[in-house]
Structure formats: C-alpha cells, structure tokens
C-alpha cells in the first residue's frame, strides 16, 4: 500500500517526461524537426487539459526534465570520463541540472494558465507561445545563462521557420514553433469550422513566409575569396595534459601545419595545451616558417597568460602577426572555466574533479577582429557561440566568424553535432560565413544561409580545405538583436489579456 503513491507519481511523471525526451530526435545529428513540434504540441495539450495551473506546472516540469535530460546527457562524459567525478555523482549532477532547467517550462505553464483563465484561444495562440519565447530568453542569461537546446534550433537550417532566424533570432524562431504547436492542439478533435480554417491558413502562411525569407540574401560579398585549411587533430581529452601527451599534441599539429596549403591555417581551441609563452621557441618558429613561406596567416587556440596581472585567457591568437593580436573568450563556462563563489564550490575542484585550467578571465564583450588579408575575422571560443546576441558587437565589425572548439570533453556524443547546429544558427542570424576548427568535430565551413559547405568526419585526424567568401552588411537581427522577438512576445501577452478581459466583460 505504501508504494501506491510512488506508483501514481510515476504514472503521472513518465508520459510527459518521455514526450520531452523524444525531442532529442529533433536536433542534430538526427535533425527530424517535426519531433520537437510534436513534443511541444503534446506538452501544450497536457497544459490545456490540466485541472489547475499547479497541475499544468507539474506536467510541464516532468516534460522539461525529460527534455533536458535527453539533450544534455553527454555532460556525463566530461564529468566522469575526463573530469574524474565518480559515476554516481556525475549522474546526480545531470539529474540535478535537468531538474533545475525543467523549472523554466514549469513557470511558463503556470503563468500561462493563470493569465489565460478558461480561454483556450488565449492560452494556445497568445500567452503560451509568448511566455515560451520569454522563458527561453531568460534561460539564456539568468545565472550566466544556459541557452543550449532552445527549441528554435530544431528548425536550423532546413525547417520551414529557419528563414526567420536572420530577422528574429533563434528565440523568435522558438516562439513561432510554439505558436504552431498551439495551433496543432487547437485543431485536435474539432469540427473544422471557419475559425479552424483560418488557423490552418495562418499556419500555411507562416511557413510560407519562412520559406520566402530563406530566399532573401541579407548581406553582400566583401573582399576576395580566401582558401582556408582547418586542422582537426582528433586528440582524446585524456591525451592532452601529460608530458608525453604534450609532445604528441605538438607533433600532431606540426605535421598538419607543415602539410597545409592555404591563405589561412587554423588550429582549434587549446591546440597548444600549455600557455603560449611556454611553447618551445624552436617549435613555434618551425611551425611559423611553414606558414610564412607560403604567405599564409596562422591562427591557433592557446591559453595565454598576462605577464603583469598573471591572469590567463582562452584565446585565438594570430601567430603570424608580430603583434600577436588575439580574440579572447568573453563568456566563460561556470565550473568548467572558472569557479563561481570559490569559498562555496572550490572544494569540488580540490577534492572531486581533476580539471586543469579552471580559472580563466573574460576577454571582454567587444574585441577587434583579427585582420587576415582583406578580411576581418571575429573569433569565438567553444561554448560562447551559444549566446547569439553577445556575438553581435564583434560580428558587425567582421566579415567572417570563426569558432575554435575542443569538444573532446564530450567525444562520441551528440554534443558535437548539436554544437555545429548552433553555429549554423549564428551564421544565419548574422549573414556571415562561420569557420569551425575543432579538435574532434564538427570542423566545417558554414555558409551565410546556415548550410554546411564542407565538413570533416568527427573524431578523425585531418585537414578541411575550403574557400570562404567574407560578407558585409547587417541582417535585421544584427540591428535589433533579441529586441524584436521580445517586443512581439510582449505584444502577444497584451493582446491575449485584452481578449480575455473583453470576453469576461461580454
């Protein structure tokens, strides 16, 4: 008898959690975007039929738990396999993070039911899509932000709503996906009267507008095309930090640079897993000699320490320029690259985790692009390209975007493909080509329309050759950032509340 409450709880929890988990199929590498639309529509159906706002929040929390647990499960690899955290603790950490992130859809569901009252139309077409957009935006900056797996990414690059990314950004696309999901639930089981026909017509027009926007070329060529060589060392994360590992790292990239023939040669994040000033001078001179001999620029990812302040930065350094200009990572990963509230969490690193270089400093929000021939390259490091609006100040100055990553922390998981999809969204939003040089994948050239022009297989050592054309000009998203999407969300809430108020008076 005493197990009956637990059984009832599981019966209520498992269906929405399972529906949330199927969204994994909607993102890269599977990219079956209807899975996300279907899952979100079912969630909205659960919220619609819930007896109270609290029940709606509970079912949305369960859905969110399944959603995030499925889409960020790969964090286990970095915590346990490479971070040294015991497996049980690593699992508990992921469960805790998924449980926390699930609060965001729970809050949206509770607020939507409160604001919509008994009006299904207000709930499904106004407050729920608007609040979904707003809550994803809040998730992108609150507590430093964790915007991974926003539902809008499922549309990138080939979904019917992808064309809205250069206008409204990925959060705007998320709101439109939510609007379609609300329309799908509205139509379920209805007699298909005039209002229903209008809903279908609006959905068709919305998708048609998305397709039409995909045909718009927002930016124009700048300078001459440039041949690039993107190097992928495919070095496992557990072979980067020992003395023998260091020799293997340096030797791998020495041979890759030696054989590369291009205008620009790019090495990934922490290709040199030691401070730049610690790289043997004769080694660095030998590597540079091969680049200089063919008049090639060489950009490498390396930690760099300031001699005066002793602070160190995760940087993309233009080594062939005597001044050694660099773009430093601005948005650092809490617990991965710095220790927040050290008196509270410092013991975790001292006693449980075994992660090197966890006290980086931020390079600042606005930095000058790296000049290469007649192009201007704005580099970002690993995770920070998840924060689309934060890249805009540098993207406006640049003709090419560059991401340097070391995703060997998550080798063999979907994280590599998901991160590539995020870079595709940044290319779409800015109308700029995106170069990706990664240690293990996805190393690629992404065109301004968000498509892969070329890419290397994951976890394979090699060099990707491609020709990139720089672009100038601004997309609407570059001018407005997230402001346009947020204004539309607020207008949706206002219209929904006015409709509800008028219906109650009537």
């Amino acid at each position: 008898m005493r197990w009956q409450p637990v059984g009832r709880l599981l019966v209520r929890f498992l269906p929405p959690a399972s529906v949330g988990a199927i969204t994994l199929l909607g993102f890269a590498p599977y990219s079956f975007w209807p899975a996300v639309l279907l899952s979100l529509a079912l969630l909205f159906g659960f919220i619609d039929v819930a007896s109270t706002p609290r029940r709606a929040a509970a079912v949305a929390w369960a859905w969110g738990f399944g959603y995030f647990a499925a889409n960020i499960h790969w964090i286990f690899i970095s915590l346990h396999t490479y971070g040294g955290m015991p497996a049980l603790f690593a699992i508990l950490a992921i469960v805790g993070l998924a449980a926390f992130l699930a609060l965001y859809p729970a809050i949206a569901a509770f607020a939507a039911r409160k604001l919509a009252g008994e009006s299904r139309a207000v709930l499904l077409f106004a407050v729920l899509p608007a609040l979904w957009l707003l809550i994803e935006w809040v998730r992108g900056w609150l507590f430093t932000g964790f915007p991974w797996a926003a539902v809008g990414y499922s549309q990138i690059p080939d979904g019917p709503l992808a064309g809205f990314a250069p206008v409204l950004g990925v959060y705007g696309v998320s709101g439109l996906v939510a609007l379609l999901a609300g329309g799908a639930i509205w139509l379920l089981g209805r007699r298909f009267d005039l209002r229903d026909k209008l809903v279908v017509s609006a959905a068709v027009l919305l998708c048609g507008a998305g397709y039409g926007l995909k045909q718009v070329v927002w930016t124009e060529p700048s300078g001459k095309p440039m041949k690039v060589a993107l190097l992928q060392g495919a070095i496992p994360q557990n072979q980067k930090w020992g003395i023998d590992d260091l020799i293997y790292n340096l030797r791998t990239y020495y041979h890759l640079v030696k054989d590369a023939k291009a205008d620009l040669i790019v090495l990934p994040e922490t290709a040199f897993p030691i401070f730049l000033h610690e790289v043997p001078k004769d080694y660095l001179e030998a590597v540079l000699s091969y680049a200089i001999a063919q008049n090639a620029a060489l950009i490498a990812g390396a930690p760099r320490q300031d001699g005066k302040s002793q602070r160190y930065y995760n940087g993309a350094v233009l080594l062939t320029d005597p001044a050694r200009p660099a773009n430093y990572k601005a948005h650092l990963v809490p617990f991965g690259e710095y220790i927040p509230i050290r008196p509270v969490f410092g013991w975790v690193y001292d006693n449980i985790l075994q992660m090197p270089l966890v006290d980086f400093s931020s390079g600042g929000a606005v930095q000058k692009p790296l000049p290469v021939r007649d192009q201007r390259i704005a580099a970002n490091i690993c995770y920070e390209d998840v924060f689309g609006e934060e890249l805009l100040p540098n993207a406006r100055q640049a003709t090419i975007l560059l991401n340097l990553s070391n995703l060997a922390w998550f080798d063999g998981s979907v994280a590599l493909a998901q991160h590539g999809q995020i870079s595709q969204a940044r290319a779409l939003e800015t109308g700029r080509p995106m170069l990706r040089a990664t240690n293990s994948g996805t190393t690629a050239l992404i065109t301004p329309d968000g498509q892969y022009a070329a890419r290397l297989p994951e976890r394979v050592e090699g060099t990707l050759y491609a020709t990139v054309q720089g672009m100038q000009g601004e997309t609407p998203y570059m001018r407005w950032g997230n402001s346009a999407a947020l204004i539309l969300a607020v207008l949706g809430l206002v219209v929904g509340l006015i409709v509800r108020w008028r219906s109650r008076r009537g």
Side-chain angles (χ1 to χ4, degrees):
M1 293 290 293
R2 56 187 173 183
W3 292 103
Q4 287 182 356
V6 176
R8 287 196 297 268
L9 185 63
L10 287 175
V11 167
R12 292 177 180 175
F13 174 84
L14 287 177
S18 300
V19 169
I22 67 172
T23 57
L24 178 64
L25 301 176
F27 299 102
Y30 312 108
S31 298
F32 183 64
W33 62 264
V36 173
L37 180 60
L38 172 63
S39 178
L40 199 62
L42 291 174
L43 168 63
F44 286 6
F46 293 146
I47 294 170
D48 180 33
V49 301
S51 56
T52 65
R54 291 182 62 183
R55 287 287 181 88
V59 75
W61 182 90
W63 181 93
F65 182 86
Y67 180 89
F68 289 109
N71 284 291
I72 64 170
H73 66 276
W74 36 263
I75 295 176
F76 175 87
I77 301 172
S78 64
L79 294 178
H80 172 64
T81 306
Y82 299 121
M85 181 179 283
L88 178 60
F89 287 0
I91 292 172
L92 290 175
I94 295 167
V95 168
L97 179 58
F100 169 74
L101 294 173
L103 293 174
Y104 288 101
I107 292 169
F110 181 85
R113 281 295 303 270
K114 278 287 189 181
L115 293 175
E118 299 302 317
S119 173
R120 291 189 72 229
V122 170
L123 176 72
L124 297 175
F125 293 123
V127 296
L128 198 46
L131 286 170
W132 193 270
L133 187 160
L134 291 171
I135 208 69
E136 284 204 342
W137 171 71
V138 170
R139 178 162 65 89
W141 57 262
L142 189 63
F143 306 122
T144 79
F146 190 81
W148 200 282
V151 299
Y153 285 118
S154 66
Q155 293 290 307
I156 309 299
D158 295 321
L161 302 178
F164 286 97
V167 181
L168 299 175
V170 76
Y171 295 132
V173 177
S174 291
L176 296 178
V177 173
L179 186 60
L180 287 182
I185 290 302
W186 171 267
L187 294 171
L188 193 65
R190 291 180 60 86
R191 296 180 179 180
F192 210 69
D193 58 15
L194 177 60
R195 288 187 300 175
D196 302 331
K197 292 178 181 178
L198 290 174
V199 169
V200 172
S201 298
V204 172
L205 286 174
L206 183 64
C207 293
Y211 177 78
L213 288 170
K214 287 174 72 172
Q215 316 310 311
V216 177
V217 180
W218 298 101
T219 52
E220 60 184 15
S222 174
K224 298 178 180 179
M226 183 168 59
K227 186 177 182 181
V228 297
L230 309 176
L231 311 187
Q232 180 172 291
I235 299 170
Q237 192 60 28
N238 58 2
Q239 294 182 20
K240 288 185 72 72
W241 308 111
I243 296 298
D244 293 338
D245 299 331
L246 173 61
I247 295 172
Y248 175 72
N249 275 253
L250 296 179
R251 183 178 296 149
T252 297
Y253 284 108
Y254 171 83
H255 289 295
L256 288 173
V257 171
K258 179 182 177 182
D259 296 336
K261 301 292 186 292
D263 301 318
L264 170 64
I265 303 170
V266 187
L267 284 67
E269 179 188 18
T270 61
F272 303 146
I274 53 177
F275 290 119
L276 187 59
H277 69 269
E278 295 176 340
V279 177
K281 186 176 180 181
D282 56 346
Y283 170 86
L284 199 55
E285 289 178 350
V287 168
L288 288 175
S289 67
Y290 290 112
I292 294 171
Q294 57 178 308
N295 195 30
L298 178 64
I299 296 176
R304 198 174 186 184
Q305 189 170 33
D306 184 280
K308 294 181 179 179
S309 68
Q310 296 302 301
R311 291 182 176 181
Y312 51 91
Y313 304 86
N314 192 355
V317 186
L318 182 55
L319 294 174
T320 43
D321 186 327
R324 299 278 166 83
N327 286 166
Y328 296 125
K329 189 170 186 180
H331 197 123
L332 303 175
V333 181
F335 302 104
E337 292 174 316
Y338 76 98
I339 305 173
I341 320 176
R342 179 176 274 279
V344 176
F345 296 109
W347 68 272
V348 175
Y349 292 85
D350 297 334
N351 300 290
I352 297 178
L353 290 174
Q354 302 163 12
M355 290 185 175
L357 297 175
V358 292
D359 255 342
F360 284 104
S361 295
S362 170
V366 181
Q367 303 178 49
K368 291 183 178 180
L370 304 177
V372 176
R373 298 190 178 238
D374 59 357
Q375 301 297 329
R376 302 180 302 278
I377 299 176
N380 57 83
I381 313 294
C382 196
Y383 173 79
E384 68 178 338
D385 76 338
V386 180
F387 303 91
E389 193 171 41
E390 293 183 13
L391 299 189
L392 295 183
N394 297 331
R396 293 186 187 106
Q397 307 176 66
T399 56
I400 297 172
L401 303 182
L402 169 65
N403 177 267
L404 305 186
S405 292
N406 173 30
L407 295 183
W409 286 104
F410 314 106
D411 250 358
S413 75
V414 298
L416 282 64
Q418 287 180 353
H419 194 209
Q421 189 174 39
I422 288 167
S423 288
Q424 289 177 283
R426 301 292 86 84
L428 256 175
E429 288 173 344
T430 61
R432 299 287 191 275
M434 171 76 84
L435 301 174
R436 287 179 51 83
T438 72
N439 178 50
S440 52
T442 302
T443 295
L445 165 61
I446 301 170
T447 54
D449 61 355
Q451 299 290 336
Y452 283 119
R455 58 176 162 170
L456 285 178
E458 293 178 1
R459 307 168 74 189
V460 173
E461 180 183 326
T463 299
L464 178 67
Y465 289 102
T467 299
V468 61
Q469 171 63 65
M471 303 295 284
Q472 63 184 359
E474 295 186 357
T475 64
Y477 181 73
M478 290 184 75
R479 298 189 193 99
W480 307 330
N482 291 324
S483 300
L486 296 176
I487 290 171
L488 289 176
V490 172
L491 287 176
L493 287 177
V494 171
V495 169
L497 292 177
I498 290 174
V499 170
R500 182 195 174 193
W501 175 73
R502 292 186 64 182
S503 65
R504 290 181 67 179
R505 287 194 66 190

